[in-house]
């Protein structure tokens, strides 16, 4: 599916352009090249596609894959504090390489990787939410990635091999998260490329790990509380990462349902109505292999009108699935440099004929 | 490294809506009639005159498919770099496009890249691109709507977005009817029927929902025949159903995007010249040495065994235009039978603009084709089920399962076909989907390699001489 190569380059070019303009601040040494729209594409082209099949090795694959052009660690979850207040959070860290090798310089400003992070905390009320975005580079030790994970200043997602768990730490203006996340299943679900396209060369590899048990502390507007809950992790690396472009939006959904099942959807869809949605959904029920559901099964509940669609349906009679998915309340987009909507969802309906409900996370871009 | 390096994909996109610059679907009968033709000689119909030079210019330059990919998106996606513009006579923007695409401008002023006839009707032979030679390597095993939709990532808002959406929607409508399970076979008949199902025969207006019951989802396999046969053929298509004015069949590629009679009429005018061009094409000469003495022996074998149906060549050339009964020729009947059973499409054709001057008659038989440059046209039979002439003439040599050697594709002058590997197993025995797609399985519906066993009665020496003679045609 070579068109994805082209798509991937465009996607990464966009991301890198944002990152690179940020990185080229006036205080840098003159050795840094001038910003160029061509430059990011050139950087992407120095990387080969990842191998057709990836030999997963854990815990090594929880860490960084510096041989790959791009990578992201993506965590979201729903929490409750001691007082029963609901909280939802997301921390995502993206890494993109400027070159295969580190710059041939002894300067501490030498940069190989650029990073972007996004942090969201939904306090579970109509009072708003907290959103913050950061950019970083692997210069001066400010940001980086290694065998355990990635960090941008004091935002980090790392794997701790001693406990077999993940640790998330992030502080922002009036938010602080300090969470430990323990898997409830021995291994994650591996994911390969853009789902549903049956590409011989997938362009990316990674994994999705739903059902992480969360414990820790959340501080919001000066109030620190112990929390516990449920979260999911997605970690993907390769040369082609899904981002909206042109007439196509990117829609991603993760669901965690109370019967123990989980759903992950990734879809490219026309910004307007019509067209053939690309991608698929994976349904994971306990003690079974993931089942693929065609992308057409997941669609906005209402005609698109230019705004972010926050009501969706997932319907697949063949799999006994009929789920309504909607944001628990109206909420604006977070205002990141890359326009997107990201937030908590709630879901109810049936799976295999049984009534279920649960929480989820929706991320939309390109609208 | 190019940003869009895949030539196979390029062909796939170009082929979207390939329906018939030559061999298309089994069409229809006279207006308000549905006639099944009887075996026997097909009457010759006088064809419209045209200018062959202008016809070629149209084939390689004009937008007879009127929807496609906005040029800016085509370029941004890297498609421009994925194929070489190797044709002569390409004008303006066409000169920079891969040969299977033409340039046009939509009514809204959007510069478009549209597919042309050569996606299917041009192919390489010994390093040369031969216009008119059917391409036996096209890959229709993937859903074309995926790539059409993905191209939207490169399309700007406004008129380009609307132009792209129209094209992508058409592709999405026919995609379910054109995905084959084998690389190399062509689904043109079925996708044409799918297009017909969406159109009003009186106005050609497109309907998002099918107006007729669509054809089966699994297309029957066909091979793309060479254009140079058309100067001898009275009727188009393997079953001889394309009777009357050939122009109306040759222009059916416009079914993808042409939504009104006015546009269709303009394209029909262009295709008077295209028909003349196709009818003017001469077959290529065999590029390898020929044993003239052996060939002379073979000519006698041909005269005794083959000429009755396929005609005679040389100074006393004669071609009988015979429709041979299925019971006689014995080749896979699925294509002919499906055409006969497609009455609703036949009637649509006859009532439509495309049926004006054309009288289509499906039949329970196949035309014995002219054999000019038959050596270049492997694999053989209407479904491409037999990899070489040697195997065609000796049914014991026909593989049940086979796979063309494609890296590189190599011509075998001894057997007159592309080198292949005979297999002991079919697709089901192969886990690798990509490999399974390359296996031709003659046990599948429509893929049969039976029939036409007239060569079995010949001795080995006679067959060898006959093969040598066929090199001279």
């Amino acid at each position: 599916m070579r068109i994805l190569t082209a798509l991937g380059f465009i996607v990464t070019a966009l991301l890198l352009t944002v990152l690179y303009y940020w990185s080229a601040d006036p205080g840098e040494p003159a050795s840094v090249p001038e910003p160029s729209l061509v430059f990011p594409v050139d950087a992407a082209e120095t990387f080969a596609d990842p191998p057709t099949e990836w030999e997963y090795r854990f815990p090594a694959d929880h860490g960084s894959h510096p041989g790959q052009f791009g990578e992201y660690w993506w965590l979201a979850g729903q929490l409750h504090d001691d007082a029963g207040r609901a909280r939802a959070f997301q921390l995502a860290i993206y890494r993109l390489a400027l070159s295969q090798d580190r710059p041939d310089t002894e300067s501490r400003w030498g940069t190989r990787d650029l990073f972007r992070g996004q942090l969201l905390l939904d306090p579970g009320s109509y009072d708003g939410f907290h959103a913050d975005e950061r950019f970083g580079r692997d210069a001066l030790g400010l940001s980086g990635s290694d065998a355990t994970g990635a960090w941008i200043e004091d935002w980090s997602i790392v794997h701790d091999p001693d406990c077999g768990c993940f640790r998330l730490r992030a502080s922002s203006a009036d938010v602080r998260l300090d969470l430990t996340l323990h898997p409830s299943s021995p291994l994650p679900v591996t994911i390969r490329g853009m789902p549903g396209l049956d590409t011989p060369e997938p362009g990316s590899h990674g994994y999705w790990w739903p059902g992480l048990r969360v414990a820790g502390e959340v501080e919001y507007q000066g109030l620190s509380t112990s929390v516990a809950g449920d979260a999911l992790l997605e970690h993907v690396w390769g040369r082609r990462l899904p981002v909206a472009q042109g007439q196509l939006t990117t829609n991603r959904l993760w669901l965690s349902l109370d019967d123990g099942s989980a759903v992950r959807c990734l879809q490219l869809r026309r910004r307007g109505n019509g067209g053939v949605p690309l991608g698929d959904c994976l349904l994971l029920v306990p003690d079974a292999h993931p089942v693929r559901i065609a992308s057409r099964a997941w669609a906005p509940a209402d005609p698109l009108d230019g705004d972010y669609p926050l009501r969706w349906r997932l319907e697949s009679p063949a799999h006994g699935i009929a789920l309504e998915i909607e944001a628990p309340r109206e909420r604006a987009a977070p205002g990141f440099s890359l326009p997107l909507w990201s937030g908590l969802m709630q879901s109810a309906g049936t799976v295999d004929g049984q009534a279920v409900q649960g929480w989820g996370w929706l991320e939309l871009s390109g609208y | 490294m190019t940003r869009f390096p895949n030539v196979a994909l390029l062909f796939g996109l170009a082929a979207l809506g390939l329906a018939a610059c030559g061999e298309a679907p089994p069409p229809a009968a006279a207006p308000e009639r549905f006639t099944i033709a009887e075996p026997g000689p097909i009457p010759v119909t006088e064809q419209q005159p045209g200018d062959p030079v202008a016809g070629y210019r149209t084939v390689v330059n004009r937008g007879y498919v009127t929807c496609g990919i906005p040029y800016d998106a085509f370029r941004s996606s890297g498609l421009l770099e994925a194929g070489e513009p190797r044709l002569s006579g390409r004008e303006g923007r066409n000169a920079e496009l891969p040969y299977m695409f033409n340039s046009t401008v939509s009514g809204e002023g959007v510069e478009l890249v549209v597919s042309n006839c050569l996606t299917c009707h041009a192919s390489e032979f010994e390093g040369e691109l031969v216009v008119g030679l059917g391409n036996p390597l096209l890959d229709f095993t993937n859903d074309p709507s995926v790539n059409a939709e993905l191209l939207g990532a490169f399309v700007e808002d406004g008129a380009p977005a609307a132009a792209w959406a129209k094209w992508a929607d058409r592709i999405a409508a026919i995609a379910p009817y054109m995905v084959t399970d084998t690389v190399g076979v062509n689904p043109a008949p079925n996708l044409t029927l799918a297009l017909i199902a969406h159109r009003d025969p009186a106005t050609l207006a497109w309907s998002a929902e099918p107006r007729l019951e669509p054809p089966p989802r699994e297309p029957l396999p066909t091979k793309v025949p060479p254009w140079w046969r058309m100067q001898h053929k009275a009727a188009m298509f393997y079953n001889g159903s394309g009777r009357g004015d050939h122009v109306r069949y040759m222009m059916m590629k416009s079914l993808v995007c042409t939504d009104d009679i006015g546009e269709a009429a303009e394209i029909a005018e262009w295709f008077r010249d295209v028909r003349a061009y196709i009818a003017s094409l001469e077959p290529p000469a065999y590029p390898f040495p020929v044993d003239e003495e052996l060939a002379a022996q073979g000519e006698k074998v041909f005269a005794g065994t083959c000429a009755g149906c396929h005609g005679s060549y040389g100074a006393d050339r004669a071609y009988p235009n015979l429709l041979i009964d299925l019971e006689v020729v014995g080749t896979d009947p699925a294509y002919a039978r499906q055409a006969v059973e497609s009455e609703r499409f036949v009637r649509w054709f006859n009532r439509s603009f495309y049926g004006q001057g054309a009288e289509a008659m499906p039949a329970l038989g196949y035309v014995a084709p002219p054999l000019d440059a038959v050596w270049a046209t492997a694999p053989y039979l209407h479904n491409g089920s037999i990899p070489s002439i040697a195997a065609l003439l000796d049914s014991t040599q026909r593989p049940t399962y086979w796979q063309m050697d494609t890296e590189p594709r190599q011509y075998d002058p001894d057997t007159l076909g592309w080198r292949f590997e005979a297999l002991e197993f079919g697709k089901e025995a192969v886990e690798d989907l990509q490999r399974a797609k390359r296996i031709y399985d003659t046990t599948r519906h429509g893929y049969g390699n039976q029939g036409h066993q007239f060569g079995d009665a010949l001795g080995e020496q006679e067959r060898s001489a006959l093969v040598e003679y066929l090199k001279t045609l």
Side-chain angles (χ1 to χ4, degrees), chain B residues 151-173:
Chain B
L151 274 169
F154 304 96
V155 176
E156 298 173 358
D157 290 347
W164 161 76
K166 174 182 177 180
W167 171 75
D169 285 345
R170 299 295 163 87
I171 301 313

Side-chain angles (χ1 to χ4, degrees), chain B residues 83-326:
Chain B
E84 295 178 24
R86 296 182 293 174
L87 286 174
S88 62
R90 298 273 270 175
E91 300 165 354
R93 180 74 83 191
N94 293 287
E96 69 181 71
L97 299 179
Y99 73 83
M100 71 290 289
F101 289 103
N102 285 0
S103 172
T104 191
V105 178
S106 76
E108 292 71 36
V110 179
E111 184 178 358
L112 299 176
V113 176
V114 299
S115 62
N116 67 26
C117 299
L118 302 189
T119 307
C120 299
H121 291 284
S123 188
E124 282 197 12
F125 196 96
E126 292 298 302
E128 295 291 325
L129 183 66
V130 181
V131 173
L133 176 61
N135 190 333
L137 295 177
L138 288 176
D139 184 352
F140 290 97
T141 62
N142 297 307
D143 182 346
S145 65
V146 172
N147 287 330
E149 204 70 25
L150 279 175
L151 274 169
F154 304 96
V155 176
E156 298 173 358
D157 290 347
W164 161 76
K166 174 182 177 180
W167 171 75
D169 285 345
R170 299 295 163 87
I171 301 313
I174 59 176
Y177 309 98
M178 61 182 288
V179 178
T180 67
D181 66 6
T182 303
V183 173
V185 302
N186 198 294
N190 216 49
L191 77 87
T192 305
L193 299 183
L195 288 165
I196 285 175
H198 283 267
R199 290 202 179 278
D200 184 315
T203 66
L204 299 183
W206 177 267
S207 168
E209 295 300 319
R211 299 167 55 91
L212 297 176
E213 180 188 346
R217 289 266 175 152
E218 293 183 4
L220 291 173
T222 57
K223 187 188 79 169
V224 183
W227 269 355
W228 52 79
R229 287 179 183 168
M230 283 310 302
Q231 62 180 287
H232 306 292
K233 291 187 68 177
M236 293 184 64
F237 313 124
Y238 286 112
N239 58 351
S241 60
R243 305 188 182 203
D245 183 0
H246 294 173
V247 166
R248 298 304 171 108
Y249 304 107
M250 291 178 175
M251 65 172 288
M252 286 180 73
K253 191 175 174 74
S254 64
L255 271 170
V256 182
C257 307
T258 293
D259 298 339
D260 64 76
I261 299 295
E263 186 174 287
E266 183 179 16
I267 294 170
E269 281 299 307
W270 298 349
F271 267 67
R272 292 174 55 167
D273 296 331
V274 171
R275 191 213 63 80
Y277 164 67
I278 290 173
S280 75
L281 267 180
E282 293 297 331
Y286 187 69
F288 306 112
V290 176
D291 182 334
E292 299 291 347
E293 188 176 335
L294 187 60
Q297 297 172 29
E299 184 173 11
K300 295 173 184 167
V301 176
F302 185 88
T305 306
C306 315
C309 293
H310 291 287
S312 56
Y313 299 79
D316 300 325
R317 182 180 183 106
Y319 175 64
N321 265 303
L322 286 180
L323 177 68
I324 312 297
D325 193 308
L326 281 180

Side-chain angles (χ1 to χ4, degrees), chain A residues 1-7 9-10 41 45 197 200 239 245-248 268 270-271 275-276 278, chain B residues 1 3-6 9 77 146-147 149-157 161 164-165 168-169 172:
Chain A
M1 186 55 55
R2 302 295 199 269
I3 195 169
L4 277 180
T5 303
L7 185 61
F9 283 140
I10 293 296
V41 176
E45 291 193 358
L197 300 187
R239 195 167 64 151
Q245 170 73 6
Q247 302 305 309
L248 300 185
L268 300 179
R270 282 191 207 177
R271 184 154 17 103
V276 179
L278 307 174
Chain B
M1 182 185 299
R3 282 186 291 155
F4 195 124
N6 190 306
L9 174 58
S77 67
V146 172
N147 287 330
E149 204 70 25
L150 279 175
L151 274 169
F154 304 96
V155 176
E156 298 173 358
D157 290 347
W164 161 76
D169 285 345

Side-chain angles (χ1 to χ4, degrees), chain B residues 186 236 264 312 335 385 432 470:
Chain B
N186 198 294
M236 293 184 64
S312 56
Y335 174 90
S385 58
D432 180 351
L470 293 175

Side-chain angles (χ1 to χ4, degrees), chain B residues 4-82:
Chain B
F4 195 124
N6 190 306
V7 174
L9 174 58
L10 195 68
F11 273 95
L13 289 169
L16 298 176
L18 74 167
C21 298
E23 202 81 11
E32 303 307 322
R33 283 190 297 141
F34 175 72
T35 304
I36 297 175
E38 293 296 325
I42 299 174
V44 175
T45 306
E46 185 174 352
Q47 297 296 312
Q48 297 188 63
D51 176 355
V53 174
Y56 176 73
R57 194 181 305 134
T58 292
V59 168
V60 301
N61 290 298
R62 284 187 131 152
Y64 38 91
V65 174
T66 56
C67 63
I69 308 163
Y71 173 78
D72 289 341
F74 191 87
R75 185 187 56 198
S76 300
S77 67
L79 277 169
L80 203 54
E81 305 156 21

Side-chain angles (χ1 to χ4, degrees), chain A residues 167-235:
Chain A
R167 301 191 189 281
L168 179 158
R169 291 191 176 89
S171 296
S172 185
D174 53 1
V175 165
R176 184 178 62 82
L177 301 176
D178 187 349
L179 304 174
T180 302
L181 305 97
H182 286 270
S184 57
S185 56
L187 286 172
V189 178
T190 58
I191 49 182
R192 179 179 182 277
M194 177 68 191
L197 300 187
D198 297 326
T199 58
E201 298 166 9
S204 68
H205 296 278
Y207 58 86
W208 160 52
W209 210 339
L212 302 178
R213 299 189 309 275
V214 188
E217 286 194 355
V218 170
E219 184 177 315
Y220 180 61
Q221 293 182 334
L223 177 62
S224 179
T225 58
S226 295
V227 293
D230 179 31
L232 65 96
L233 167 67
E234 186 160 301
H235 180 195

Side-chain angles (χ1 to χ4, degrees), chain A residues 239-253:
Chain A
R239 195 167 64 151
R240 291 176 258 165
L241 310 177
V243 176
Q245 170 73 6
Q247 302 305 309
L248 300 185
T249 63
T250 297
N251 308 295
R252 304 205 287 173
L253 173 71

